[in-house]
């Protein structure tokens, strides 16, 4: 395809240069066409694919010669096959690229490396990744595709005039991978010349899932013209909208080259901390379905008094009932006299004792307790699911009673109020989340250490502005309650997933979020565009101002001393 497109560009140039007002067929195309398959060098790990690539280039050359004849009246000869592409059969991460093509002779690198997540690499792939990226701190968290960016950057050092374009998984420009990979690439002098933001790419193979991709064009020289950004937010499966940027940063935003890394505490001292819910680690023996909870209530009155609602992210968003046995206050007599508790606690003990992890084995001493207990202390708390569909404009968050046990797929903010709900439910915060969060498949994967702790809240806000946000946040809750009441009256099930589905979002909820956005934007004195890109560029500017004093050598040294003391 690359060869075909270059030949067609050459055809355009030939027509402009030589055929303006001239009769076709008078000039010898063989002397004007200089793009040849012999200029193409490739590395392919599969022997049959390498052979197919070589043959496919010959066939494409024949097709383009026929196109030239149709366009100009003459063409260059297709036979004999005097020129061939140079397809090297081998592993691109074990091959010295300079031996395939010396950097001084190279103009462009293009490729579509394999998409394999960091947790799905084979042993051989992990060894290859370590060979290429092992010098980068935390390299093991990088997706496999990042190896090609590192390898290409190293190759370009010998000839900074080379420009590279690679199709990639969008994960290398999201979440925790950004500071790991891009701290290295930027230090090597990489500049992004153009970027296709996330789009959905699928092939015609049966049963092959679509993947979410980006395309990065980069080099060791700053672009001679304004960098170009191709955005698919209007239609992730369609054609992009093109715009120019002053600078494309590693998040593919026209903003400063900031790298948002994990932060243990919120960026601003006045922001309440966000914690992770508790982790059971009990083999399912303390967790209950609706039927199990109903059965215990009728058969074991002792165990029944310890049943509590229990929610993970999926249950919270989809309004699925789930329960647990919460035994933090259970006395010895109840544990001994309840048949249900005796049986379940014995199963928990056995599960933990048989674990290969010493930490889990130690938990066998307290089989009645969750492995990790993190439960809010206030009467209500703000719950944020870790994973949410990429189709939603807003992550559905809300208040839960302290009687609801918070699972480890939910983050929570204790003692939070309407102001916190309003800020975190705004388009401003969700735009930040969509940019810096990681992904689970294509879904958003929220993080307290990256998304929340780095989020720049309004620094100064008047009582009037805060009241406006709280009023708008309450209107969001009221709109939700109204729709739940409608569904209940009609005898239909309702959920936050249904309310925040862009195809079924109630009008009242849409309007409530519009008013909330106006209130939050006013608190930031934000007057930019409504799309994510200008919002995130604005937030990156605030982040850079707030983070700079915290990231000085003295501040980092003080932080290390504090960690050591802890």
């Amino acid at each position: 395809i690359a060869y075909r497109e270059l030949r067609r560009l050459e055809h355009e140039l030939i027509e402009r240069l030589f055929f303006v007002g001239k009769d076709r067929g008078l000039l010898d195309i063989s002397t004007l066409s200089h793009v040849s398959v012999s200029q193409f060098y490739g590395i392919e790990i599969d022997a049959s694919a390498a052979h197919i690539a070589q043959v496919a280039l010959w066939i494409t050359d024949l097709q383009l010669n026929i196109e030239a004849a149709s366009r100009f009246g003459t063409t260059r000869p297709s036979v004999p096959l005097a020129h061939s592409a140079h397809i090297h059969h081998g592993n691109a991460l074990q091959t010295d690229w300079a031996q395939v093509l010396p950097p001084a002779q190279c103009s462009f690198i293009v490729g579509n490396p394999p998409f394999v997540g960091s947790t799905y690499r084979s042993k051989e792939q992990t060894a290859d990744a370590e060979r290429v990226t092992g010098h980068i701190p935390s390299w093991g968290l990088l997706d496999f595709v990042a190896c090609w960016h590192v390898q290409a950057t190293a190759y370009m050092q010998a000839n900074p005039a080379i420009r590279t374009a690679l199709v990639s998984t969008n994960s290398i420009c999201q979440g925790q991978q950004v500071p790991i990979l891009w701290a290295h690439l930027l230090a090597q002098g990489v500049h992004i010349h153009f970027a296709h933001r996330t789009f959905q790419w699928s092939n015609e193979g049966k049963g092959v899932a679509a993947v979410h991709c980006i395309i990065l064009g980069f080099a060791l020289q700053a672009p001679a013209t304004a960098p170009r950004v191709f955005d698919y937010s209007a239609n992730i499966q369609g054609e992009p909208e093109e715009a120019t940027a002053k600078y494309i940063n590693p998040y593919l935003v026209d903003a400063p080259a900031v790298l948002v890394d994990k932060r243990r505490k919120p960026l601003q001292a006045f922001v309440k901390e966000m914690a992770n819910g508790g982790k059971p680690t009990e083999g399912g023996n303390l967790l209950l379905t609706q039927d199990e909870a109903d059965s215990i209530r009728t058969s074991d009155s002792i165990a029944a008094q310890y049943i509590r609602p229990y929610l993970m992210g999926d249950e919270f968003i989809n309004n699925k009932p789930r329960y647990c046995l919460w035994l933090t206050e259970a006395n010895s007599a109840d544990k001994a006299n309840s048949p249900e508790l005796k049986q379940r606690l014995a199963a928990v003990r056995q599960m933990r004792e048989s674990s290969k992890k010493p930490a889990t084995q130690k938990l066998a001493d307290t089989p009645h307790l969750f492995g990790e207990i993190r439960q809010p202390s206030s009467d209500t708390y703000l719950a944020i699911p870790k994973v949410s569909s990429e189709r939603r404009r807003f992550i559905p968050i809300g208040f839960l009673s302290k009687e609801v046990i918070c699972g480890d797929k939910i983050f929570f903010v204790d003692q939070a109020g309407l102001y916190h709900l309003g800020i975190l439910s705004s388009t401003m915060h969700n735009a930040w989340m969509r940019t810096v969060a990681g992904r689970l498949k294509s879904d958003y994967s929220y993080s307290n250490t990256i998304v929340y702790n780095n989020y720049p809240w309004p620094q100064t806000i008047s009582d009037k502005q805060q009241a406006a946000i709280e009023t708008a946040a309450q209107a969001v809750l009221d709109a939700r309650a109204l729709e739940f009441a409608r569904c209940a009256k009609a005898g239909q099930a309702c959920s936050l997933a249904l309310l925040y589905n862009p195809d079924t979002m109630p009008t009242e909820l849409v309007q409530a979020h519009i008013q909330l956005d106006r209130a939050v934007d006013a608190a930031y004195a934000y007057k930019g565009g409504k799309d994510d890109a200008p919002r995130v560029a604005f937030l990156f500017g605030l982040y850079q101002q707030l983070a700079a004093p915290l990231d000085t050598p003295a501040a980092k040294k003080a932080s290390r001393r504090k960690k050591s003391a802890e």
Side-chain angles (χ1 to χ4, degrees), residues 132-133 142-151 172 177 181 185:
V132 174
T133 65
L142 295 173
D143 284 356
F144 198 40
V145 73
C147 297
W148 276 258
H149 296 75
V150 174
Q151 187 98 325
I172 65 168
Q177 294 193 53
L181 174 64
L185 295 183

Side-chain angles (χ1 to χ4, degrees), residues 233-447:
S233 58
N235 183 2
I236 198 171
Q237 296 175 319
E239 293 298 316
E241 295 181 3
E242 181 181 349
T244 57
K246 294 180 181 178
Y247 178 84
I248 302 176
N249 76 4
Y251 296 94
L252 309 188
V253 174
D254 186 359
V258 297
L259 301 176
V260 180
D261 207 347
K262 289 184 177 180
R263 192 178 293 275
R264 296 176 66 246
K265 301 286 184 179
L267 182 64
Q268 295 145 292
F270 62 83
V271 175
K272 293 182 180 294
E273 292 191 26
M274 178 180 288
N276 201 1
K279 191 172 184 178
T281 317
E282 38 58 82
N285 294 291
L286 297 179
L287 303 183
L288 309 171
T289 64
Q290 180 73 66
D291 289 343
E292 289 173 325
D294 292 342
S295 176
I296 290 174
R297 289 189 179 104
T298 59
S299 64
D300 191 326
S301 59
I302 296 175
Q305 63 184 316
Y306 296 108
I307 295 176
R308 296 286 185 277
Y310 171 81
L311 293 181
M312 297 282 264
D314 181 54
E315 289 82 5
F316 173 72
I317 292 175
N318 292 287
N319 198 22
K320 297 178 181 178
R322 196 177 184 187
Y323 303 88
C324 72
L325 291 167
W326 191 246
L327 302 170
T328 55
E329 302 297 327
N331 58 50
S332 300
D334 282 349
K335 287 184 282 187
N337 295 327
S338 164
E340 192 73 35
L341 294 183
K342 286 174 64 177
Q343 178 266 325
R344 288 180 176 270
L345 296 187
V348 173
R349 184 188 300 276
Q350 182 180 11
M351 171 263 162
R352 292 175 176 176
E353 287 176 342
S354 61
S355 173
K356 296 180 180 179
K357 299 179 180 179
T360 304
Q361 294 172 3
K362 188 175 181 180
L363 294 175
D365 296 337
T366 53
H368 64 294
L369 298 178
F370 275 28
E372 296 175 2
I373 297 178
R374 301 190 191 96
Q375 191 63 11
S377 59
S378 56
D379 289 340
T380 60
Y381 60 92
L382 190 60
I384 301 93
K386 280 189 176 182
V387 179
S388 180
S389 169
E390 84 282 1
R391 294 193 66 229
R392 300 186 186 111
R393 291 175 52 210
F394 309 96
I395 291 182
I397 69 176
F399 293 108
L400 294 176
S401 163
K402 68 177 181 180
E403 293 299 310
V404 179
I405 306 304
C406 183
D408 62 309
K409 297 302 181 183
I410 289 180
F411 291 112
F412 69 87
V413 180
D414 203 3
Q415 299 180 342
L418 286 170
Y419 176 68
H420 305 92
L421 173 72
I423 293 291
L424 298 184
S425 296
S426 68
T427 295
M428 192 70 81
H429 178 72
N430 279 270
W432 173 268
M433 178 278 302
R434 280 188 282 270
T435 300
V436 304
R439 295 290 189 273
L440 183 64
K441 296 182 179 178
S442 60
D443 292 337
Y444 303 126
S445 182
Y446 198 91
S447 165

Side-chain angles (χ1 to χ4, degrees), residues 77-116:
S78 299
V79 290
L81 299 174
H83 303 286
S84 299
H86 307 274
I87 309 297
H88 175 81
H89 171 223
N91 183 325
L93 300 183
Q94 296 177 11
T95 300
D96 182 357
W97 293 9
Q99 294 297 316
V100 178
L101 177 65
Q105 300 176 26
C106 183
S107 300
F108 302 97
I109 302 169
V110 295
N112 178 19
F115 297 173
V116 182

